[in-house]
Each structure stands twice: as C-alpha cells, then as structure tokens.
Amino acid sequence: MEKPDEIASFLAMTTKNKKIILFDGVCNLCDSAVQYIIKHDKKDIFRFVALQSELGISICKYLGISFSKMDSIILYNPGVAYFYKSSAVIEIGKNFGGFWNLVSIFRIVPIFISDRIYDYVAKNRYNWYGKKESCMIPTPELKAKFL
C-alpha cells in the first residue's frame, strides 16, 4: 500500500471519525501508554498503528513525515492534521475530557522546551523501560483498536 490514493482510501474506510496514534511498537513505555489510552478511551476515538509496521511506514510516507520523526508518538486526525512529540501527547490528553482538559495548560510552555523534554525521555526510553523483541500482538478483544 504505497500509493497516496490507496492510503487515503484505506484510512477513509477504516478510520471514519477516528484518530490514529502511531507509536514505537517495541518500546515498553510506548506500550504502557497505548494500554493506558485504550483503557481510558471511553468514546472510542483512537486507533493504533506501530511505526515499524508496513502500514505505519506507509502512513508516515503519505503524510510526508521524515524518518527522523519516527522515534516519536504521532497523532493523525485524518483529513485534518497530524501532531508529534509533546504536541501529540497534549492533543491525545485533550480527548479524554475531565481532569485531562488541564493538559492544555502545557500549551503555554514553548514547543521547543516541551519537545526537548520529550526528546530526552524518548532518547532514554529503552534504557529506563526496556524494549521488546517484536511489536505487541493485540488480544482478540483489542484487535479492532489496531489497524
């Protein structure tokens, strides 16, 4: 699925009114974050794709995202915009409502500062949290959440 029109039509069919989170599929920290998001995604807003997967790579190419950004979490709202690094974290948090609406306060922090903090954690995530040999295989109950 390399052609832009194939990606666009696939995403239109499979993710209607959904936001896509692209994540590092072998990172334990990222896996924990995905599990947390799934647990708290009461409105069923999100779908997930490992960055290392064929589809993850195709989506990144479709969006024009360079591989240098692929060590980051990416939130893609099809047809609207995409966010990465700290902006993606803030946008994801805003979708939970309640207490999570307070995450928007971090917008007052200049992006170059919040991204620098994000980069520091991303750079050290394997040392601090470990790394898997392969991407997580979702349980049958969770399979619908993954593309």
Side-chain angles (χ1 to χ4, degrees), residues 85-86 109-124:
K85 295 187 181 186
S86 62
V109 176
I111 197 81
F112 74 91
I113 293 173
S114 57
D115 277 352
R116 187 162 292 167
I117 294 166
Y118 184 97
D119 288 339
Y120 179 74
V121 173
K123 179 180 165 192
N124 292 290

Side-chain angles (χ1 to χ4, degrees), residues 8-106:
S9 63
F10 173 79
L11 294 175
M13 288 187 311
T14 58
T15 62
K16 189 170 184 156
N17 300 319
K18 305 295 180 195
K19 297 176 183 181
I20 302 168
I21 296 175
L22 295 108
F23 67 99
D24 181 347
V26 297
C27 168
N28 287 334
L29 174 62
C30 303
D31 180 61
S32 295
V34 167
Q35 296 302 320
Y36 182 88
I37 293 167
I38 289 170
K39 182 178 177 182
H40 293 89
D41 184 18
K42 304 299 183 203
K43 298 176 188 172
D44 192 33
I45 295 170
F46 300 107
R47 293 296 176 262
F48 303 88
V49 178
L51 283 165
Q52 296 88 343
S53 71
E54 184 180 326
L55 180 59
I57 292 167
S58 293
I59 292 171
C60 288
K61 286 180 182 176
Y62 170 73
L63 295 174
I65 296 173
S66 74
F67 287 99
S68 66
K69 293 179 184 168
M70 289 185 66
D71 68 341
S72 170
I73 190 167
I74 299 168
L75 173 66
Y76 175 45
N77 189 352
V80 180
Y82 75 87
F83 305 89
Y84 66 100
K85 295 187 181 186
S86 62
S87 296
V89 173
I90 291 168
E91 288 297 316
I92 291 166
K94 284 175 26 182
N95 285 278
F96 292 133
F99 154 79
W100 285 99
N101 285 330
L102 296 176
V103 82
S104 294
I105 199 161
F106 289 105

Side-chain angles (χ1 to χ4, degrees), residues 35 38-39 48 136-146:
Q35 296 302 320
I38 289 170
K39 182 178 177 182
F48 303 88
M136 171 187 82
I137 298 178
T139 64
E141 303 84 49
L142 295 180
K143 218 171 187 85
K145 294 271 192 184
F146 291 82

